[in-house]
Every structure is written in C-alpha cells, then in structure tokens.
Amino acid sequence: MQFSMIFEAQLAHPTPERERRLLHDCVEQAVYGEEMGFDRVWAVEHHGLERYAHMSASEVFLTWVAAKTSTIRIGHGVVCMPFNYNHPVRVAERVGMLDALSGGRLDVGGGRGSTRMEMGMCGVNPSDTYPQLVEGLRFLAGAWQKEQVDWHTDLLDVGPAKILPRPVQTPHPPLYMACSKRDTVVLAAELGVGALVMGFAGPEEVKEMYDLYHATIRSRTGEKLVSTEVNDKFVALCPTIVLDDGAKALKIGARGQRFFAESIAHWYGHGPVPEEDTEDDDNLAALAKDKEDLVARLNEADIPARPQDTGAFNAEHAYGTPQRAIEYVQRLADIGVDEVMCLIQMGTVPQEACMETIRHWGETVIPHFREGLAAG
C-alpha cells in the first residue's frame, strides 16, 4: 500500500497575502512529505472556487514541488479535461514537459470540472463534460504511441503533428480519473484507468466502491479501454489530523472538515458561504446539523440523499493520535485499497498542525504498514 497527500489549497478569510502564504505552506508540506516517506502528492484543478480551492494552476504547483524534491511522485488529481478548460494538445504538452523535467515522476488524473461556477467561467457545456473527459484521456494515451499524432474524431481534430516533449514514462504516465459516485467508478474501471475515490462517508462506502470497481474490471470486455497500458489502481481519500494530543487533533480535524464540507455544499449544492470563525464551536455537532440541512434541501428538491452528497459531513476519520490513524488505515488496508490519499490541508487547519500530522504519519503510521508488509 502506498501513501499520498492531496492539496486543494483551501483558505479561510482569503486575502492576497494569506493566499500567497498558503501556497508556500502547501509546497513546504509536500517537500516535507518526501522526507517523511510519502509516495506521492496530488494537486487538484479548480477555478474561481474561493475558499474551497485556490489551486487553479496545478501544473505550476507540481513543477515547483518537483524542482524541490527528488523521489516523491507528483500527480494531477485532476486535470479538468473538457476542452474549454484545457485543450487536449496543451494537456499532453504539459504532461510531457513535467514528466521529462521530473525524471518520470508524474501521474495524471482526469476530471469534469463540474461546478456551475467553473463551467460558466470557461464556457463549458455540461453535456460535453463526460464525452470530452473520455476523449481527452484517449488522446493523452495515444499522443506518443507513434511518431506523429493523427487524430480525427467527431470531437477532436488534430494533426498530423508531433506532441513535444516526449515523457520519460512510455508510452505515457499512469492515468487516473476522479470518482465521486458509483457511475464514475464503473467508468474508470471500463476505461482501464485508476480510481481516485472520495471516501468521506467512511470505509463502508470505500468498500462498496472498491468492490464495484473490481467487479467491473472482471466483467469488462476491453472495448472501452483508453490505452494499451491499463492502470487498475484504487486510491481512497483519508481525512486526517494526527497530533500528540488526540483530543486536540479531533477538534482541529472536525473544524477543518466542517469548512471543507460547507465549501462543497456552497459550490456544488448552492449552500451558504462556509463558516470561518468556528474555533470555539462544537464542530462535530455542527457537521451533523449541516448534514441534516443538506438532506432536507435535497428532499425538498426531490433528490434522494446519497453517500456522496452527505459523506463530507462524517467526521469519523483518522483524527487523533498515531494509533487512531493506524486503526483507521488498517480498515482501508483490509478492504484492499492500493493507496491512501491523506487530506490534511483544510481551510482552517494551521500550518503547524499540518506539519505535525505529516511527521506522525512519516514516523509511525507509514512505517507500521511498511514493516508489516516486510514481515509478511
């Protein structure tokens, strides 16, 4: 099992000065992650989602991290693939450049960029997002299969032309897809790309997604595979704050996750702007209340509440001491998860708590599982 961190670059009380500090804090965390034995860092791509995600140019962030590290892998988790966000040729060129400069350390996930804010900013038609996501992944997989790309479909007309530079990893870096619901888990398995699963609802939902992913892999015919290089890796999110003081870690984690959950509800579900001054609140109780409010809004709109709608309001994660984190990760390991993707940087979590969390994972949690594997 591997271990990674994902960066949204979340920010409570945003100002230009705080935003700049945040971006450098995220780089500091990523570099420290290499020292502490993490295998990979992922960075999202979002546009205009103030507070929730200030990571609008993840290729720049990942290049900065790659230049300051030597072994940790860097991952787009994910690139917004609809063409008005990123033309497939430009995605391929940036992938080739970053893989070459990093010495072959790049992983690439694709996603839809599906909030109304983002689609409106970039002129993306919602009905185009799935077809263009799949087409973009196919193009990326085929960009360097031959000396020239000669691509002519109903969606994309390119070439003959060369996509330069060529990546170190041949024929292309490993491909993934963001999976927040059952349909996208099935699609990732059919396409033969890794699944980046948002497991906020807890191990039970992760197991359902894992079982569905592998059942689809077993039954797929291969007709929809995007590449000759199949990547059947299952990555699950793990919100975590780990401190010497377990009660303090839970308090910080619950507050951070409340900010995260309310940000999701704001940008994806038309909820209010997230609460920022919540340090003295009972944030566990607030998460439960927020969940009830969201379910009520969904029911009022005649939309059945699903785990992906409400899972972000569940705070039963790896918050506490290193032993608590080990116990939680063991549940993911028992499912068969290939990679645990730690969500540490949330909008209200102070930098010192992020760094202490990374240290505890590196000194205790990760070695526990690596040593256990070696002993087995």
Side-chain angles (χ1 to χ4, degrees):
M1 191 162 60
Q2 292 188 317
F3 298 89
S4 60
M5 294 184 287
I6 186 166
F7 291 95
E8 303 261 4
Q10 292 193 348
L11 182 61
H13 299 294
T15 67
E17 294 76 15
R18 287 172 55 78
E19 186 177 56
R20 294 176 196 128
R21 180 67 264 163
L22 166 69
L23 294 173
H24 286 282
D25 284 349
C26 289
V27 172
E28 183 181 28
Q29 292 173 43
V31 172
Y32 191 45
E34 176 177 87
E35 182 182 341
M36 287 292 103
F38 281 84
D39 299 286
R40 186 177 287 97
V41 295
W42 297 96
V44 307
E45 178 190 334
H46 281 301
H47 302 281
L49 306 189
E50 189 177 43
R51 294 178 176 83
Y52 177 61
H54 291 238
M55 187 68 71
S56 59
S58 50
E59 70 279 5
V60 177
F61 173 80
L62 292 171
T63 301
W64 197 264
V65 171
K68 292 176 173 289
T69 57
S70 58
T71 59
I72 198 167
R73 292 187 66 85
I74 49 178
H76 281 288
V78 296
V79 177
C80 294
M81 287 293 192
F83 302 167
N84 272 26
Y85 290 125
N86 296 288
H87 190 279
V89 169
R90 293 292 292 125
V91 175
E93 290 173 339
R94 295 201 307 260
V95 164
M97 180 68 75
L98 185 48
D99 198 55
L101 289 174
S102 68
R105 290 190 276 149
L106 183 63
D107 298 276
V108 183
R112 297 193 299 133
S114 58
T115 67
R116 290 188 181 183
M117 166 63 80
E118 292 169 291
M119 288 187 288
M121 284 178 69
C122 297
V124 173
N125 186 329
S127 64
D128 290 338
T129 56
Y130 274 118
Q132 291 184 3
L133 163 61
V134 175
E135 185 80 359
L137 288 171
R138 291 191 188 282
F139 182 83
L140 196 57
W144 302 282
Q145 297 275 10
K146 298 178 181 179
E147 280 298 309
Q148 291 192 114
V149 62
D150 200 10
W151 195 275
H152 308 285
T153 69
D154 292 341
L155 295 178
L156 188 61
D157 190 21
V158 177
K162 288 192 174 184
I163 305 297
L164 302 172
R166 294 179 175 273
V168 172
Q169 298 173 96
T170 56
H172 54 77
L175 300 178
Y176 293 80
M177 202 176 90
C179 299
S180 61
K181 53 187 179 180
R182 296 174 65 87
D183 290 350
T184 47
V185 168
V186 169
L187 180 60
E190 290 176 339
L191 298 179
V193 300
L196 301 174
V197 173
M198 302 296 103
F200 271 116
E204 292 79 11
E205 185 197 15
V206 170
K207 186 178 188 308
E208 290 178 10
M209 297 289 206
Y210 178 91
D211 290 345
L212 179 60
Y213 184 68
H214 284 277
T216 306
I217 287 171
R218 291 191 295 271
S219 64
R220 70 188 174 199
T221 63
E223 295 176 358
K224 294 184 179 180
L225 295 177
V226 298
S227 176
T228 56
E229 302 297 314
V230 175
N231 176 27
D232 290 335
K233 188 172 179 181
F234 189 92
V235 182
L237 188 74
C238 177
T240 182
I241 298 295
V242 177
L243 308 175
D244 290 324
D245 184 337
K248 181 179 179 182
L250 176 58
K251 182 177 180 180
I252 291 174
R255 184 186 181 208
Q257 191 168 323
R258 178 184 177 185
F259 182 86
F260 191 106
E262 290 181 349
S263 296
I264 289 177
H266 174 63
W267 288 114
Y268 289 84
H270 314 296
V273 172
E275 295 285 345
E276 296 172 299
D277 298 310
T278 58
E279 186 171 6
D280 296 325
D281 290 3
D282 182 346
N283 286 297
L284 288 172
L287 277 166
K289 178 64 167 58
D290 287 344
K291 179 178 179 179
E292 291 174 5
D293 291 345
L294 177 60
V295 171
R297 286 203 306 274
L298 292 170
N299 289 338
E300 185 177 340
D302 198 25
I303 301 171
R306 300 160 295 177
Q308 64 266 23
D309 299 319
T310 58
F313 297 94
N314 168 37
E316 295 296 320
H317 298 298
Y319 300 140
T321 64
Q323 184 57 41
R324 163 64 182 164
I326 287 171
E327 292 167 359
Y328 188 87
V329 173
Q330 185 61 58
R331 296 173 67 187
L332 300 179
D334 292 342
I335 293 167
V337 167
D338 298 302
E339 179 177 322
V340 174
M341 180 169 58
C342 294
L343 176 63
I344 301 168
Q345 192 281 312
M346 294 175 279
T348 61
V349 177
Q351 177 71 351
E352 58 268 23
C354 292
M355 296 296 280
E356 183 176 343
T357 297
I358 295 167
R359 177 176 64 81
H360 280 303
W361 274 77
E363 291 180 350
T364 306
V365 182
I366 294 174
H368 173 86
F369 291 94
R370 295 236 165 103
E371 290 165 7
L373 182 64

